[in-house]
Amino acid sequence: MEPASRPVHAEVPAAKIDPRSWVDEHGDCLYRYALVRVRTPEVAEDLVQETLLVAVRSQDKFAGRSSERSWLVGILKNKVVDYYRKLGRETSFTDLEFLKDECSHKFVEQGFWNHELGPHEWRPEADEVMHKGEFWQTMRDCLSKLPQRVADVFMMREMDEVPSKELCRTLNISESNLWVMLHRARMALRECLEINWFDRVNPPKGR
Amino acid sequence: MSKPYNPSPVDNPSRLKRRSWPETQIVKFIGRHTPKCTEVVRILSQGMDQKLTLKTRLLLNMHYLICRWCQRYSEHLRYLRKFSRRFPEQISTLDVFTMPASAKDRIKRKVGESAGKTL
C-alpha cells in the first residue's frame, strides 16, 4: 500500500535518511532552543553537534514514533540538562553576593516597603507588551544580568516548567537553596524590567 | 533617628488608608497581624512553586488591603511567569538566533563522518 498519507520517515528505512540534511532542516531550531537556555553561542553549537551525533547513532531506534524534529529536540533537551548538571554545584562569589542581597534599601527598617521605591503600576498591560520586539530584547538583557547559575535555575523553572522537586534532584541542590535562588531571580528580574521597560515606556507619575 | 512606621498613609494607593480614626485602627491592626513586606515577597515567590495554606492566603489578602505594593509585586510575579513561558518563541525571531554558517558546515562534516562510520 502507498504510505502517502503517513509521515514519510515512518516508511523510509532509517539508513536512507542523510543525517546531514538535519543541519539544514532543524539546525536553526535546535540552535535557538539551546542558545536561549545556555546563552553562549559556542556552547549552543556544541550541544547541537552532540545532539546530532547521538541521533546518528540511535537512528534505528527512532521508528518515526514522533516527528523527526521533536525527536531531535528531545535529545537536545537531555543534553542541555547534562550541561547544567556538569556546571557543578559550586556557587561563585558573585553568585553568593547576589543571593545574599536582601534588597534592604527597598524596605524601611520595620520591614515594609519604602513607598518611594516600591513596585510601580505596570502599564501598558503585560498582554500588550508581549507583541513588542524591543520588550523581548529588554527581557533578554535582564536575564543576562543574573548570575549564570541563578538564571539557569530560573529558566528551568519558569521557562521549561520543570517541577521544583525534579529541579533540585537534577542540579543537586536543596529545596531551601532553590527557593532563595528563585526569589532573588524574581526580585532582580522584576526590578530590571520595571526600570528598563515599564518606567521608560510609561514614566511613573507620583507613585 | 527613624520615624515610627506609618503604614498606609492617606495619600497612598492602597485600598485602606488612614482617612479616619476607625480606618486607622483597622490599618494598624492589619499591619500588626499580617507578615511584613520583606516576608510577603518571600512567601509570594514560594507561592509560585507550591500551594500556600489557606491561612497564608488569607493573611496575604488582608495585607494587600493596606499594601498596594505587595499586591503589585504578586501581579508582577505572575507576569514574569507569563513572559518567561513566551520568551523562547519570541526571542528566536531575533537575528542572532540563527546558527552561523561556519558552525553548520562544521557540524555537517562531523555528522557526515559519524554517519559514514555507522552505515
Side-chain angles (χ1 to χ4, degrees), chain B residues 31-74:
Chain B
R32 270 198 306 274
H33 291 89
T34 62
K36 290 174 178 174
C37 304
T38 41
E39 188 62 10
V40 170
V41 290
R42 202 188 53 72
I43 296 172
L44 284 173
S45 177
Q46 202 158 335
M48 298 299 286
D49 302 301
Q50 55 179 206
K51 199 161 166 48
L52 301 172
T53 61
L54 181 64
K55 185 183 168 203
T56 309
R57 279 178 285 147
L58 281 174
L59 285 175
L60 287 179
N61 279 307
M62 264 169 77
H63 182 87
Y64 294 159
L65 290 175
I66 63 159
C67 184
R68 178 80 183 112
W69 288 273
C70 283
Q71 193 175 13
R72 281 180 194 158
Y73 193 88
S74 85

Side-chain angles (χ1 to χ4, degrees), chain B residues 5 7 18 23-33 66:
Chain B
Y5 180 64
R18 302 166 162 239
E23 208 177 0
T24 301
Q25 299 313 304
I26 300 173
V27 167
K28 281 183 169 171
F29 179 85
I30 295 177
R32 270 198 306 274
H33 291 89
I66 63 159

Side-chain angles (χ1 to χ4, degrees), chain A residues 15 19-20 22-24 27-28 31-32 35-37 42 45-46 48-49 52-53 56-57 59 102 107-115 117-123 125-127 129-131 133 135-137 139-140 143 154-155 157-161 164 175 179 182-183 185-187 189-190 193-194 198 207, chain B residues 1-9 11-13 31-32 34-39 41-42 44-46 48-50 63 66-70 72-73 75-77 79-88 90-94 96-100 102-112 114-115 118-119:
Chain A
R20 273 171 298 187
W22 292 337
V23 180
D24 293 320
D28 283 328
Y31 178 72
R32 269 183 231 126
L35 187 57
V36 168
R37 287 161 183 81
E42 292 76 27
E45 288 166 19
D46 285 349
V48 172
Q49 179 172 318
L52 295 184
L53 290 178
V56 168
R57 285 198 297 273
Q59 213 175 354
E102 298 274 353
F107 299 92
V108 294
E109 231 175 285
Q110 296 87 344
F112 295 91
W113 285 102
N114 176 339
H115 289 180
L117 301 171
H120 295 147
E121 207 71 55
W122 279 5
R123 291 279 174 276
E125 298 282 350
D127 303 295
V129 159
M130 291 201 279
H131 299 300
F135 171 75
W136 295 106
Q137 297 204 29
M139 175 90 177
R140 184 177 54 153
L143 277 169
F154 177 81
M155 289 213 236
R157 180 71 193 94
E158 295 287 42
M159 228 163 68
D160 293 334
E161 302 170 52
S164 335
E175 212 157 348
W179 301 136
L182 285 172
H183 174 38
R186 288 177 175 132
M187 180 89 104
L189 211 54
R190 193 209 70 78
L193 284 180
E194 181 159 295
F198 290 98
R207 277 166 287 170
Chain B
M1 275 301 284
S2 65
K3 286 175 281 174
Y5 180 64
N6 175 16
S8 208
D11 59 345
N12 93 103
R32 270 198 306 274
T34 62
K36 290 174 178 174
C37 304
T38 41
E39 188 62 10
V41 290
R42 202 188 53 72
L44 284 173
S45 177
Q46 202 158 335
M48 298 299 286
D49 302 301
Q50 55 179 206
H63 182 87
I66 63 159
C67 184
R68 178 80 183 112
W69 288 273
C70 283
R72 281 180 194 158
Y73 193 88
E75 287 163 11
H76 294 175
L77 288 193
Y79 280 155
L80 278 186
R81 171 158 291 173
K82 223 172 177 180
F83 297 152
S84 307
R85 303 244 154 112
R86 297 284 295 279
F87 182 70
Q90 293 290 336
I91 200 69
S92 44
T93 52
L94 300 178
V96 286
F97 281 77
T98 319
M99 183 149 56
S102 58
K104 276 189 187 168
D105 289 342
R106 199 188 62 228
I107 295 174
K108 251 187 221 173
R109 216 170 41 241
K110 291 264 184 193
V111 169
S114 171
T118 49
L119 287 184

Side-chain angles (χ1 to χ4, degrees), chain A residues 62-77:
Chain A
F62 168 67
R65 268 164 292 152
S66 51
S67 80
E68 201 169 66
R69 178 166 288 186
S70 50
W71 171 58
L72 293 171
V73 171
I75 301 176
L76 177 59
K77 222 174 193 170

